[in-house]
Amino acid sequence: MQAGSEGTGWGRRPEARHCGWCGQRLADGEGRGRPRRYCGHSCRQRAYERRAAMQRGGLPEDAVVLSAAELADLQDRLFQLRCAAEDVATAAEDGADSGELRRMAAGLVQEAKGLERLR
């Protein structure tokens, strides 16, 4: 084993953790015990209320419930992502230069990052 690599997973970066309610990135836990799941008391309380409501409604705990507006917004963002991907493919077929393709790919990545969070 290399010096200084004990317990680090051979140089792998630890995965970023996010709040189980709002999706905000959590600070790297340096303390003992279980890792944090929520960024604060408010998010922990909202998550508890959601779990309790799901149990009362007979839905499984891991069910995802979206309002009609949230679903429409998600569908719009997915459509925008598909259009951006099609634009990159068309530009590549039409012989766009590498700088233009890099710019378009960066835009595609930004669209995809926007979809990572549902809230």
Side-chain angles (χ1 to χ4, degrees):
M1 185 177 274
Q2 295 176 333
S5 63
E6 293 88 12
T8 62
W10 290 92
R12 284 185 290 160
R13 291 188 304 182
E15 281 190 37
R17 298 183 46 83
H18 295 86
C19 175
W21 180 253
C22 71
Q24 178 179 340
R25 186 174 180 157
L26 298 175
D28 294 333
E30 297 179 14
R32 296 180 187 197
R34 289 185 291 179
R36 291 176 51 181
R37 292 181 59 195
Y38 304 103
C39 61
H41 180 72
S42 175
C43 286
R44 185 174 60 238
Q45 181 66 27
R46 298 295 87 74
Y48 166 77
E49 290 169 357
R50 178 184 177 271
R51 286 191 308 273
M54 297 293 261
Q55 288 173 349
R56 284 191 306 271
L59 295 172
E61 188 173 312
D62 62 348
V64 176
V65 179
L66 298 174
S67 70
E70 291 169 323
L71 177 60
D73 179 60
L74 179 59
Q75 289 171 325
D76 287 345
R77 291 186 292 150
L78 284 168
F79 177 74
Q80 290 170 357
L81 179 63
R82 182 175 59 86
C83 289
E86 288 173 349
D87 289 346
V88 172
T90 300
E93 288 174 7
D94 291 347
D97 64 47
S98 62
E100 177 70 8
L101 289 173
R102 276 195 297 274
R103 184 188 65 74
M104 293 178 80
L108 183 61
V109 168
Q110 285 304 111
E111 289 285 338
K113 283 182 180 180
L115 282 169
E116 287 180 336
R117 291 181 56 194
L118 290 177
R119 297 184 201 279

